[in-house]
Coordinates of all heavy atoms in Angstrom, one line a residue:
M20 N 0.8 -1.2 0.0 CA 0.0 0.0 0.0 C 0.8 1.3 0.1 O 2.0 1.2 0.5 CB -1.0 0.0 1.2 CG -2.1 -1.0 1.1 SD -3.3 -0.8 2.4 CE -2.4 -1.4 3.9
I21 N 0.4 2.3 -0.6 CA 1.0 3.6 -0.6 C 0.1 4.7 0.0 O -1.0 4.7 -0.3 CB 1.3 3.9 -2.1 CG1 2.2 2.9 -2.7 CG2 1.9 5.3 -2.2 CD1 2.4 3.1 -4.2
G22 N 0.7 5.4 0.9 CA 0.0 6.6 1.6 C 0.4 7.8 0.8 O 1.6 8.0 0.4
V23 N -0.5 8.7 0.8 CA -0.1 10.1 0.4 C -0.9 11.1 1.4 O -2.1 10.9 1.8 CB -0.7 10.4 -1.0 CG1 -0.6 11.8 -1.5 CG2 -0.2 9.4 -2.1
V24 N 0.0 12.1 1.8 CA -0.6 13.3 2.5 C -0.4 14.5 1.6 O 0.7 14.9 1.4 CB 0.0 13.5 3.8 CG1 -0.5 14.7 4.5 CG2 -0.3 12.3 4.7
A25 N -1.5 15.1 1.1 CA -1.4 16.3 0.3 C -1.8 17.5 1.2 O -2.9 17.4 1.8 CB -2.3 16.2 -0.8
T26 N -0.9 18.5 1.4 CA -1.3 19.7 2.1 C -1.7 20.8 1.1 O -0.8 21.1 0.3 CB -0.1 20.1 3.0 OG1 0.3 19.0 4.0 CG2 -0.4 21.3 3.9
L27 N -2.8 21.4 1.4 CA -3.4 22.4 0.5 C -3.6 23.6 1.4 O -4.4 23.5 2.3 CB -4.6 21.8 -0.2 CG -4.5 20.6 -1.0 CD1 -5.9 20.1 -1.3 CD2 -3.6 20.7 -2.1
K28 N -3.1 24.6 0.9 CA -3.4 26.1 1.5 C -4.4 26.8 0.6 O -4.1 27.0 -0.5 CB -2.1 26.8 1.8 CG -1.2 26.1 2.8 CD 0.1 26.8 3.0 CE 0.9 25.9 4.0 NZ 2.3 26.4 4.1
V29 N -5.5 27.2 1.3 CA -6.6 27.7 0.6 C -6.8 29.2 1.0 O -6.7 29.4 2.2 CB -7.8 26.9 0.8 CG1 -9.1 27.6 0.1 CG2 -7.7 25.5 0.3
Q30 N -7.0 30.1 0.0 CA -7.3 31.5 0.4 C -8.6 31.5 1.3 O -9.5 30.8 1.0 CB -7.6 32.3 -0.8 CG -6.5 32.3 -1.9 CD -7.0 32.7 -3.2 OE1 -7.5 33.9 -3.2 NE2 -6.4 32.2 -4.3
P31 N -8.5 32.4 2.3 CA -9.5 32.3 3.4 C -11.0 32.5 2.9 O -12.0 31.8 3.3 CB -9.1 33.4 4.3 CG -7.8 33.6 4.2 CD -7.4 33.2 2.8
D32 N -11.1 33.4 1.9 CA -12.5 33.6 1.4 C -12.9 32.6 0.3 O -14.0 32.8 -0.2 CB -12.5 35.2 0.9 CG -11.5 35.3 -0.4 OD1 -10.4 34.7 -0.3 OD2 -11.7 36.2 -1.1
K33 N -12.2 31.7 -0.1 CA -12.4 30.7 -1.0 C -12.6 29.3 -0.5 O -12.9 28.4 -1.2 CB -11.3 30.6 -2.1 CG -10.8 31.9 -2.6 CD -11.8 32.6 -3.6 CE -11.2 33.7 -4.3 NZ -12.1 34.4 -5.2
A34 N -12.8 29.1 0.8 CA -12.8 27.8 1.5 C -14.0 27.0 1.1 O -13.9 25.8 0.6 CB -12.6 27.9 3.0
S35 N -15.1 27.6 1.0 CA -16.4 27.0 0.9 C -16.5 26.5 -0.6 O -16.9 25.4 -0.9 CB -17.6 27.7 1.1 OG -17.8 28.8 0.4
A36 N -16.0 27.2 -1.5 CA -15.9 26.9 -3.0 C -14.9 25.7 -3.1 O -15.2 24.8 -4.0 CB -15.5 28.1 -3.8
F37 N -13.7 25.9 -2.5 CA -12.8 24.8 -2.6 C -13.3 23.5 -2.1 O -13.2 22.5 -2.7 CB -11.5 25.2 -1.8 CG -10.6 24.0 -1.5 CD1 -9.8 23.5 -2.5 CD2 -10.7 23.3 -0.3 CE1 -9.0 22.3 -2.2 CE2 -9.9 22.3 0.1 CZ -9.1 21.8 -0.9
E38 N -13.9 23.6 -1.0 CA -14.5 22.3 -0.3 C -15.6 21.7 -1.4 O -15.6 20.4 -1.5 CB -15.2 22.6 0.9 CG -14.1 23.0 2.1 CD -14.8 23.2 3.4 OE1 -16.0 23.0 3.7 OE2 -14.0 23.7 4.3
A39 N -16.4 22.4 -1.9 CA -17.4 22.0 -2.9 C -16.9 21.3 -4.0 O -17.2 20.1 -4.4 CB -18.3 23.0 -3.4
V40 N -15.8 21.8 -4.6 CA -15.1 21.1 -5.8 C -14.4 19.8 -5.2 O -14.5 18.8 -5.9 CB -14.0 22.1 -6.5 CG1 -13.2 21.4 -7.4 CG2 -14.7 23.2 -7.0
F41 N -13.8 19.9 -4.0 CA -13.0 18.8 -3.5 C -14.0 17.6 -3.1 O -13.8 16.5 -3.5 CB -12.1 19.0 -2.4 CG -11.2 17.9 -2.2 CD1 -10.0 18.0 -2.7 CD2 -11.7 16.8 -1.4 CE1 -9.1 16.9 -2.5 CE2 -10.7 15.7 -1.3 CZ -9.5 15.7 -1.7
L42 N -15.1 17.9 -2.5 CA -16.1 16.9 -2.1 C -16.7 16.3 -3.4 O -16.9 15.0 -3.4 CB -17.2 17.5 -1.2 CG -16.6 17.9 0.1 CD1 -17.7 18.6 0.9 CD2 -16.1 16.8 0.9
D43 N -16.9 17.0 -4.5 CA -17.3 16.3 -5.8 C -16.3 15.3 -6.3 O -16.6 14.2 -6.7 CB -17.7 17.4 -6.8 CG -18.1 16.8 -8.1 OD1 -19.2 16.2 -8.0 OD2 -17.4 16.9 -9.1
L44 N -15.0 15.9 -6.2 CA -13.9 14.9 -6.6 C -14.0 13.6 -5.8 O -13.8 12.5 -6.2 CB -12.6 15.6 -6.5 CG -11.3 14.8 -6.7 CD1 -11.3 14.1 -7.9 CD2 -10.2 15.6 -6.4
A45 N -14.0 13.8 -4.5 CA -13.9 12.7 -3.6 C -15.1 11.7 -3.8 O -14.8 10.5 -3.7 CB -14.0 13.2 -2.1
A46 N -16.2 12.2 -4.1 CA -17.4 11.3 -4.4 C -17.0 10.4 -5.7 O -17.3 9.3 -5.7 CB -18.5 12.2 -4.6
K47 N -16.4 11.1 -6.7 CA -16.0 10.3 -7.9 C -14.9 9.3 -7.6 O -15.0 8.3 -8.1 CB -15.7 11.3 -8.9 CG -16.8 12.1 -9.5 CD -16.4 13.2 -10.5 CE -17.6 14.0 -10.8 NZ -17.3 15.3 -11.5
V48 N -14.0 9.7 -6.8 CA -12.9 8.7 -6.5 C -13.7 7.5 -5.9 O -13.2 6.4 -6.2 CB -11.8 9.5 -5.5 CG1 -10.8 8.5 -5.0 CG2 -11.0 10.5 -6.3
K49 N -14.4 7.8 -4.7 CA -14.9 6.6 -4.0 C -15.8 5.8 -4.8 O -15.9 4.5 -4.7 CB -15.6 7.2 -2.8 CG -14.7 7.7 -1.8 CD -15.4 8.5 -0.5 CE -14.4 9.3 0.3 NZ -14.9 10.1 1.4
A50 N -16.5 6.4 -5.9 CA -17.4 5.7 -6.7 C -16.7 4.8 -7.7 O -17.1 3.8 -8.2 CB -18.4 6.6 -7.3
N51 N -15.5 5.3 -8.2 CA -14.9 4.8 -9.4 C -13.5 4.1 -9.1 O -12.9 3.6 -10.1 CB -14.7 5.9 -10.5 CG -16.1 6.3 -10.9 OD1 -16.8 5.6 -11.4 ND2 -16.4 7.6 -10.6
E52 N -12.9 4.3 -8.0 CA -11.5 3.7 -7.8 C -11.4 2.8 -6.6 O -11.1 3.2 -5.4 CB -10.6 4.9 -7.6 CG -10.5 5.9 -8.7 CD -9.6 7.1 -8.5 OE1 -8.5 6.9 -7.9 OE2 -10.0 8.3 -8.8
P53 N -11.7 1.5 -6.9 CA -11.6 0.5 -5.7 C -10.3 0.4 -5.1 O -10.2 0.0 -4.1 CB -12.0 -0.9 -6.6 CG -11.9 -0.6 -8.0 CD -12.0 0.8 -8.2
G54 N -9.2 0.8 -5.9 CA -7.9 0.9 -5.3 C -7.6 2.0 -4.4 O -6.5 1.9 -3.8
A55 N -8.5 3.1 -4.4 CA -8.2 4.0 -3.4 C -9.1 3.7 -2.1 O -10.2 3.8 -2.1 CB -8.8 5.3 -4.1
I56 N -8.4 3.2 -1.2 CA -8.8 2.7 0.0 C -9.3 3.9 0.9 O -10.5 3.7 1.5 CB -7.7 1.8 0.8 CG1 -7.4 0.7 -0.1 CG2 -8.3 1.3 2.1 CD1 -6.2 0.0 0.3
V57 N -8.6 4.9 1.0 CA -9.0 6.0 1.9 C -8.7 7.3 0.8 O -7.6 7.4 0.3 CB -8.2 6.1 3.1 CG1 -8.4 7.5 3.8 CG2 -8.4 5.0 3.9
Y58 N -9.7 8.2 0.9 CA -9.5 9.5 0.2 C -10.4 10.5 0.9 O -11.6 10.7 0.7 CB -9.9 9.4 -1.3 CG -9.6 10.5 -2.3 CD1 -8.2 10.5 -2.6 CD2 -10.4 11.5 -2.6 CE1 -7.7 11.6 -3.4 CE2 -9.9 12.5 -3.4 CZ -8.7 12.6 -3.8 OH -8.0 13.6 -4.6
Q59 N -9.8 11.2 1.9 CA -10.5 12.1 2.9 C -9.8 13.3 3.0 O -8.7 13.5 3.3 CB -10.4 11.3 4.2 CG -11.2 12.1 5.3 CD -12.6 12.1 5.0 OE1 -13.3 11.1 4.7 NE2 -13.1 13.3 4.9
L60 N -10.6 14.4 2.7 CA -10.3 15.8 3.0 C -10.4 16.0 4.6 O -11.5 15.7 5.1 CB -11.2 16.6 2.2 CG -10.8 18.2 2.4 CD1 -9.4 18.5 1.8 CD2 -12.0 19.0 1.5
T61 N -9.4 16.7 5.0 CA -9.6 17.2 6.5 C -9.1 18.6 6.5 O -8.3 19.0 5.7 CB -8.5 16.3 7.4 OG1 -7.2 16.5 7.1 CG2 -8.9 14.9 7.2
R62 N -9.6 19.4 7.4 CA -9.2 20.7 7.8 C -8.4 20.9 9.1 O -8.9 20.4 10.1 CB -10.6 21.6 7.7 CG -10.5 22.9 7.9 CD -11.7 23.8 8.0 NE -12.8 23.1 7.3 CZ -14.0 22.7 7.8 NH1 -14.2 22.8 9.2 NH2 -15.0 22.2 7.1
S63 N -7.5 21.7 9.0 CA -6.6 21.9 10.2 C -7.5 22.6 11.3 O -8.2 23.6 11.1 CB -5.4 22.8 9.9 OG -4.7 23.0 11.1
K64 N -7.4 22.3 12.5 CA -8.0 23.0 13.6 C -7.1 24.1 14.1 O -7.5 24.9 14.9 CB -8.2 21.9 14.8 CG -9.3 20.9 14.5 CD -9.5 20.0 15.7 CE -10.8 19.2 15.4 NZ -11.4 18.8 16.7
T65 N -5.9 24.1 13.7 CA -5.0 25.1 14.2 C -4.4 26.2 13.2 O -3.9 27.2 13.6 CB -3.7 24.5 15.0 OG1 -3.1 23.6 13.9 CG2 -4.2 23.6 16.1
E66 N -4.6 25.7 11.9 CA -4.0 26.7 10.9 C -5.1 27.0 9.9 O -5.6 26.0 9.1 CB -2.8 26.1 10.0 CG -1.6 25.7 10.9 CD -0.6 25.2 10.0 OE1 0.2 25.9 9.4 OE2 -0.5 23.9 10.1
A67 N -5.5 28.3 10.0 CA -6.7 28.6 9.1 C -6.2 28.4 7.5 O -5.2 28.8 7.2 CB -7.0 30.2 9.3
G68 N -7.2 27.9 6.8 CA -7.0 27.7 5.4 C -6.2 26.5 5.1 O -5.8 26.3 3.9
V69 N -5.8 25.7 6.0 CA -4.9 24.5 5.7 C -5.7 23.2 5.8 O -6.5 23.0 6.7 CB -3.7 24.5 6.7 CG1 -2.9 23.2 6.4 CG2 -2.8 25.6 6.5
Y70 N -5.7 22.5 4.6 CA -6.3 21.2 4.5 C -5.4 20.3 4.2 O -4.3 20.5 3.5 CB -7.3 21.4 3.2 CG -8.5 22.3 3.4 CD1 -8.4 23.6 3.3 CD2 -9.8 21.7 3.9 CE1 -9.6 24.5 3.5 CE2 -10.9 22.6 4.0 CZ -10.7 23.9 3.8 OH -11.8 24.8 4.1
K71 N -5.6 19.0 4.6 CA -4.9 17.9 4.2 C -5.7 16.7 3.7 O -6.7 16.4 4.4 CB -4.1 17.4 5.5 CG -3.0 18.4 6.0 CD -2.0 18.0 6.9 CE -1.0 19.1 7.3 NZ 0.1 18.6 7.9
V72 N -5.3 16.2 2.7 CA -5.9 15.1 2.0 C -5.2 13.9 2.3 O -4.0 13.8 2.2 CB -6.0 15.2 0.4 CG1 -6.8 14.0 -0.1 CG2 -6.5 16.5 0.0
L73 N -5.8 12.9 3.0 CA -5.3 11.6 3.6 C -5.7 10.7 2.5 O -6.8 10.4 2.3 CB -5.8 11.2 4.9 CG -5.8 12.4 6.0 CD1 -6.3 11.9 7.3 CD2 -4.3 12.9 6.2
E74 N -4.8 10.0 1.9 CA -5.0 9.0 0.8 C -4.2 7.8 1.1 O -3.1 7.7 1.6 CB -4.5 9.5 -0.5 CG -5.0 11.0 -0.8 CD -4.4 11.7 -2.1 OE1 -4.3 10.9 -3.0 OE2 -4.1 12.8 -2.0
L75 N -4.9 6.7 0.8 CA -4.3 5.3 0.9 C -4.7 4.5 -0.3 O -5.9 4.4 -0.6 CB -4.7 4.7 2.2 CG -4.1 3.4 2.6 CD1 -2.5 3.5 2.7 CD2 -4.6 2.7 3.8
Y76 N -3.7 4.0 -1.0 CA -4.0 3.2 -2.3 C -3.4 1.9 -2.1 O -2.3 1.5 -1.4 CB -3.2 3.9 -3.4 CG -3.8 5.3 -3.7 CD1 -3.1 6.5 -3.1 CD2 -4.9 5.5 -4.5 CE1 -3.6 7.8 -3.4 CE2 -5.4 6.8 -4.8 CZ -4.8 7.8 -4.1 OH -5.3 9.0 -4.3
A77 N -4.1 0.9 -2.7 CA -3.8 -0.4 -2.7 C -2.4 -0.8 -3.3 O -1.8 -1.7 -2.9 CB -4.9 -1.4 -3.3
S78 N -2.1 0.1 -4.3 CA -0.8 -0.2 -5.0 C -0.4 0.9 -5.9 O -1.1 2.1 -5.9 CB -1.1 -1.4 -6.1 OG -2.1 -0.9 -7.1
G79 N 0.8 1.0 -6.3 CA 1.3 2.0 -7.2 C 0.4 2.1 -8.4 O 0.2 3.3 -8.9
D80 N 0.0 1.2 -8.9 CA -0.9 1.2 -10.2 C -2.2 2.0 -9.9 O -2.7 2.8 -10.6 CB -1.3 -0.1 -10.8 CG -0.1 -0.7 -11.4 OD1 0.9 -0.1 -11.8 OD2 -0.1 -2.0 -11.5
A81 N -2.8 1.8 -8.6 CA -3.9 2.4 -8.2 C -3.8 4.0 -8.1 O -4.6 4.8 -8.4 CB -4.5 1.9 -6.8
L82 N -2.5 4.3 -7.6 CA -2.3 5.7 -7.4 C -2.1 6.3 -8.7 O -2.6 7.5 -9.1 CB -0.9 5.9 -6.5 CG -0.4 7.2 -6.5 CD1 -1.3 8.2 -5.8 CD2 1.0 7.2 -5.7
K83 N -1.3 5.7 -9.6 CA -1.2 6.1 -11.0 C -2.5 6.3 -11.8 O -2.7 7.4 -12.3 CB -0.3 5.2 -11.7 CG 0.2 5.7 -13.1 CD 1.1 4.7 -13.8 CE 1.5 5.2 -15.2 NZ 2.4 4.2 -15.9
H84 N -3.4 5.3 -11.6 CA -4.8 5.4 -12.2 C -5.4 6.8 -11.6 O -6.0 7.5 -12.6 CB -5.5 4.2 -11.8 CG -6.9 4.4 -12.3 ND1 -7.4 4.3 -13.6 CD2 -8.0 4.6 -11.5 CE1 -8.7 4.5 -13.6 NE2 -9.2 4.7 -12.5
H85 N -5.4 6.9 -10.4 CA -6.0 8.1 -9.8 C -5.5 9.4 -10.5 O -6.5 10.2 -10.9 CB -5.7 8.2 -8.2 CG -6.3 9.4 -7.5 ND1 -7.4 9.7 -7.4 CD2 -5.4 10.4 -7.1 CE1 -7.5 11.0 -6.9 NE2 -6.4 11.4 -6.6
G86 N -4.3 9.6 -10.5 CA -3.7 10.8 -11.1 C -4.0 11.0 -12.6 O -3.9 12.1 -13.1
G87 N -4.4 9.9 -13.3 CA -4.7 10.0 -14.7 C -6.1 10.1 -15.1 O -6.4 10.3 -16.3
T88 N -7.0 10.2 -14.2 CA -8.4 10.2 -14.3 C -8.8 11.7 -14.9 O -8.1 12.6 -14.5 CB -9.2 9.8 -13.2 OG1 -9.1 10.8 -12.1 CG2 -9.0 8.4 -12.8
D89 N -9.8 11.8 -15.8 CA -10.1 13.1 -16.3 C -10.7 13.9 -15.2 O -10.5 15.1 -15.2 CB -11.2 12.8 -17.4 CG -10.6 12.3 -18.7 OD1 -9.3 12.4 -18.9 OD2 -11.3 11.8 -19.5
Y90 N -11.6 13.2 -14.3 CA -12.2 14.0 -13.3 C -11.1 14.5 -12.1 O -11.4 15.6 -11.6 CB -13.3 13.3 -12.5 CG -12.9 11.8 -11.9 CD1 -12.3 11.6 -10.7 CD2 -13.2 10.7 -12.7 CE1 -11.9 10.4 -10.3 CE2 -12.9 9.5 -12.3 CZ -12.3 9.3 -11.1 OH -12.0 8.1 -10.5
F91 N -10.0 13.8 -11.9 CA -9.0 14.4 -11.0 C -8.4 15.6 -11.7 O -8.1 16.6 -11.1 CB -7.9 13.3 -10.8 CG -6.8 13.8 -10.0 CD1 -6.9 13.9 -8.6 CD2 -5.5 14.2 -10.5 CE1 -5.8 14.5 -7.8 CE2 -4.5 14.6 -9.9 CZ -4.6 14.8 -8.6
K92 N -8.0 15.5 -13.1 CA -7.4 16.6 -13.8 C -8.4 17.8 -13.8 O -7.9 18.9 -13.6 CB -7.0 16.2 -15.2 CG -5.9 15.2 -15.2 CD -5.6 14.6 -16.6 CE -4.8 13.4 -16.5 NZ -4.6 12.9 -18.0
A93 N -9.6 17.6 -14.0 CA -10.6 18.7 -14.1 C -10.7 19.3 -12.7 O -10.8 20.6 -12.7 CB -11.9 18.3 -14.5
A94 N -10.8 18.6 -11.6 CA -10.8 19.1 -10.3 C -9.7 19.9 -10.0 O -9.6 21.0 -9.3 CB -11.1 18.0 -9.3
G95 N -8.4 19.5 -10.4 CA -7.2 20.3 -10.1 C -7.3 21.6 -10.8 O -6.9 22.6 -10.2
A96 N -7.8 21.6 -11.9 CA -7.9 22.8 -12.6 C -9.0 23.9 -12.0 O -8.8 24.9 -11.9 CB -8.2 22.8 -14.2
A97 N -10.1 23.2 -11.4 CA -11.1 23.9 -11.0 C -10.7 24.6 -9.5 O -11.1 25.6 -9.1 CB -12.4 23.1 -10.7
M98 N -9.9 23.8 -8.7 CA -9.4 24.1 -7.4 C -8.2 25.3 -7.5 O -8.0 26.0 -6.5 CB -9.0 23.0 -6.6 CG -10.1 22.1 -6.2 SD -9.5 20.8 -5.0 CE -8.9 19.6 -6.2
A99 N -7.5 25.2 -8.5 CA -6.4 26.0 -8.6 C -6.5 27.6 -8.2 O -5.8 28.1 -7.4 CB -5.6 25.9 -10.0
P100 N -7.6 28.0 -8.7 CA -7.9 29.5 -8.4 C -8.1 29.8 -6.8 O -7.9 30.9 -6.4 CB -9.1 29.9 -9.1 CG -9.2 28.9 -10.3 CD -8.7 27.7 -9.6
F101 N -8.5 28.7 -6.1 CA -8.8 28.8 -4.7 C -7.6 28.7 -3.8 O -7.7 29.0 -2.6 CB -9.8 27.8 -4.2 CG -11.0 27.8 -5.1 CD1 -11.7 26.7 -5.5 CD2 -11.6 28.9 -5.6 CE1 -12.7 26.7 -6.3 CE2 -12.7 29.0 -6.5 CZ -13.4 27.7 -6.8
L102 N -6.4 28.2 -4.3 CA -5.2 27.8 -3.5 C -4.3 29.1 -3.3 O -4.3 29.9 -4.2 CB -4.5 26.7 -4.2 CG -5.2 25.5 -4.4 CD1 -4.3 24.4 -5.1 CD2 -5.7 24.9 -3.1
A103 N -3.7 29.0 -2.2 CA -2.7 30.2 -1.8 C -1.3 29.5 -1.9 O -0.5 29.7 -0.9 CB -3.1 30.6 -0.4
G104 N -1.0 28.8 -2.9 CA 0.3 28.3 -3.1 C 0.3 26.9 -3.7 O -0.8 26.4 -3.9
R105 N 1.3 26.3 -4.1 CA 1.4 25.0 -4.6 C 1.2 23.9 -3.6 O 1.5 24.1 -2.3 CB 2.8 24.8 -5.2 CG 3.1 25.6 -6.3 CD 4.5 25.3 -7.0 NE 4.4 24.0 -7.4 CZ 4.3 23.7 -8.8 NH1 4.1 24.6 -9.6 NH2 4.2 22.2 -9.2
P106 N 0.5 22.8 -3.9 CA 0.3 21.8 -2.8 C 1.6 21.1 -2.5 O 2.5 21.1 -3.4 CB -0.6 20.8 -3.7 CG -1.2 21.6 -4.7 CD -0.2 22.7 -5.1
E107 N 1.7 20.7 -1.2 CA 2.7 19.9 -0.9 C 2.3 18.4 -0.8 O 1.3 18.1 0.0 CB 3.1 20.4 0.6 CG 3.6 21.9 0.6 CD 3.9 22.4 1.9 OE1 4.1 21.6 2.9 OE2 3.9 23.6 2.1
I108 N 3.1 17.6 -1.4 CA 2.6 16.2 -1.5 C 3.8 15.3 -0.9 O 5.0 15.5 -1.1 CB 2.5 15.7 -2.9 CG1 1.7 16.8 -3.7 CG2 2.0 14.3 -3.0 CD1 0.2 16.8 -3.3
E109 N 3.4 14.5 0.1 CA 4.3 13.5 0.8 C 3.8 12.1 0.4 O 2.7 11.8 0.6 CB 4.3 13.8 2.2 CG 5.2 12.8 3.0 CD 5.3 13.1 4.4 OE1 4.6 13.9 5.0 OE2 6.1 12.5 5.1
Y110 N 4.7 11.3 0.0 CA 4.3 9.9 -0.4 C 4.9 9.0 0.8 O 6.0 9.3 1.3 CB 5.0 9.5 -1.7 CG 4.4 10.1 -2.8 CD1 5.1 11.4 -3.3 CD2 3.2 9.8 -3.4 CE1 4.4 12.1 -4.3 CE2 2.6 10.6 -4.4 CZ 3.2 11.7 -4.9 OH 2.7 12.5 -6.0
L111 N 4.2 8.1 1.1 CA 4.5 7.2 2.3 C 4.4 5.7 2.0 O 3.5 5.3 1.2 CB 3.5 7.5 3.5 CG 3.4 9.0 3.9 CD1 2.1 9.3 4.6 CD2 4.7 9.4 4.7
D112 N 5.3 4.9 2.4 CA 5.1 3.4 2.4 C 4.4 2.9 3.5 O 4.6 3.3 4.7 CB 6.4 2.9 2.3 CG 7.2 3.1 1.0 OD1 6.6 3.2 -0.1 OD2 8.4 3.1 1.1
A113 N 3.4 2.0 3.3 CA 2.6 1.4 4.3 C 3.5 0.5 5.0 O 4.4 -0.3 4.5 CB 1.4 0.8 3.9
V114 N 3.5 0.3 6.4 CA 4.2 -0.6 7.1 C 3.2 -1.7 7.6 O 2.4 -1.4 8.2 CB 4.8 0.1 8.5 CG1 5.5 -0.9 9.3 CG2 5.7 1.2 8.2
E115 N 3.6 -2.9 7.1 CA 2.6 -4.0 7.2 C 3.3 -5.2 7.8 O 4.5 -5.4 7.6 CB 2.0 -4.4 5.8 CG 1.3 -3.3 5.2 CD 0.6 -3.7 3.9 OE1 -0.4 -4.4 4.0 OE2 1.1 -3.3 2.8

């Protein structure tokens, strides 16, 4: 399994629009990607405008498939105007 933590900083006045786009993406991931075991948006309790996406994939192929979907690409383009900087992505190996 492969874990991913994506940290997204969102402009304060754009949070609700960002969340709407992301939640639509998450629904598509959950409906269409059996290899995406966890795909959850979380909001920081201590840093305003900071979100973290917690992701867990069954395999490298599942992660690659996720990044190649049309709906992922479209959501990235739709979310870009709401962000306050580039996403920070951390890849993790599952310990089993």
Side-chain angles (χ1 to χ4, degrees):
M20 286 191 288
I21 298 173
V23 178
V24 176
T26 301
L27 307 170
K28 295 179 182 172
V29 176
Q30 298 171 45
D32 59 332
K33 308 284 185 184
S35 61
F37 164 78
E38 289 179 14
V40 172
F41 194 95
L42 292 175
D43 180 63
L44 169 62
K47 291 174 180 167
V48 170
K49 290 172 184 174
N51 297 298
E52 297 181 41
I56 300 164
V57 175
Y58 196 76
Q59 181 64 52
L60 180 65
T61 63
R62 183 181 331 117
S63 176
K64 290 185 173 206
T65 59
E66 295 180 82
V69 174
Y70 292 80
K71 295 193 180 195
V72 186
L73 310 177
E74 306 173 44
L75 186 61
Y76 297 92
S78 66
D80 287 341
L82 173 58
K83 185 176 179 180
H84 170 73
H85 168 70
T88 62
D89 290 338
Y90 52 83
F91 176 79
K92 293 173 186 175
M98 286 185 281
F101 309 139
L102 299 180
R105 296 183 61 97
E107 297 172 18
I108 311 295
E109 181 179 6
Y110 296 95
L111 308 155
D112 290 324
V114 178
E115 301 182 75

